[in-house]
């Protein structure tokens, strides 16, 4: 079993604040790092898939970076909005998907 | 609309009974997956299949069985051998097991009484 860790476990921020989370993973046999957003009562949806060391991806106010050598990825949300409230999951793929436990974000209006 | 469907949304069964969870996709994806989620834990892989008539065990396959007779369908049977079957079950699919994003179904919450 491959250990993917996410921190913090939960986070409460005020609307308009910027925030970031961390995903740590073993760097050996690395293929790709995925980020998903999972809103309550919905299915998880993909945000980013990153494969190369130094990759940076951006979608609107959300961006992510990848460091495969040291085994971590950061997810950033700029100017958090209440609709950003969700659980953010990361997953590392080698020969299968290994998910972290997620970071639960609550944005307070 | 293309997507993944899981049925039923809620399922109740008596202890000792086998139960089969349905997962169907019309995305023409080769790979399909079953995950289990328990409170405070991440998604844990039960089984996955990269191609019809072939499947692989994930980290927590004991007490579960699957079949992949059609590309569109990947049913999961929770057998009486599964010691703690009450959980939320998610099905997913993608085109390339490692590099492409997964698409998830809405999930089935199984409660064993």
């Amino acid at each position: 079993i491959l250990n993917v860790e996410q921190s913090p476990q939960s986070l409460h921020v005020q609307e308009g604040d910027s925030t970031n989370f961390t995903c740590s993973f073993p760097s050996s046999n690395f293929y790709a790092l995925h980020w998903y957003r999972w809103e309550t009562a919905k299915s998880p949806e993909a945000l980013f898939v990153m494969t190369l060391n130094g990759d940076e991806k951006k979608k609107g106010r959300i961006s992510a970076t990848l460091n495969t050598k040291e085994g971590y990825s950061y997810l950033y949300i700029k100017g958090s909005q209440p609709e950003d409230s969700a659980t953010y999951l990361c997953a590392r793929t080698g020969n299968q998907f290994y998910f972290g436990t997620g970071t639960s974000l609550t944005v307070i209006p | 609309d293309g997507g993944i469907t899981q049925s039923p949304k809620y399922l109740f069964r008596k202890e000792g009974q086998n139960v089969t969870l349905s997962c169907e996709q019309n995305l023409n994806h080769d790979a399909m997956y079953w995950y289990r989620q328990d409170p405070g834990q991440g998604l844990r892989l039960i089984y996955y299949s990269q191609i019809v008539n072939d499947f692989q065990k994930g980290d927590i396959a004991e007490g579960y069985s699957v079949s992949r007779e059609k590309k569109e369908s990947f049913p999961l049977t929770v057998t009486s051998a599964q010691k703690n079957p009450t959980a939320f079950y998610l099905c997913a699919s993608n085109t390339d097991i490692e590099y492409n994003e997964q698409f998830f179904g809405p999930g089935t919450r199984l409660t064993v009484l």
Side-chain angles (χ1 to χ4, degrees), chain B residues 21-106:
Chain B
L21 280 56
S22 166
C23 178
E24 303 277 333
Q25 55 99 357
N26 60 4
L27 300 167
N28 199 33
H29 287 167
D30 290 313
M32 297 186 74
Y33 310 77
W34 274 106
Y35 294 95
R36 169 180 171 139
Q37 191 199 30
D38 294 282
Q41 298 203 37
L43 298 178
R44 292 186 292 165
L45 184 65
I46 305 172
Y47 269 99
Y48 65 102
S49 168
Q50 293 177 262
I51 197 169
V52 174
N53 292 322
D54 187 50
F55 46 83
Q56 307 295 327
K57 291 182 179 180
D59 295 325
I60 56 165
E62 185 175 350
Y64 299 98
S65 66
V66 293
S67 63
R68 187 87 186 276
E69 297 176 3
K70 298 185 300 181
K71 189 175 185 177
E72 305 78 27
S73 179
F74 192 41
L76 174 75
T77 297
V78 184
T79 75
S80 56
Q82 169 49 235
K83 291 184 172 57
N84 186 17
T86 294
F88 185 68
Y89 292 87
L90 270 175
C91 178
S93 70
N94 69 353
T95 55
D96 183 314
I97 192 168
E98 284 132 2
Y99 295 107
N100 289 345
E101 64 183 271
Q102 290 191 327
F103 292 79
F104 288 86

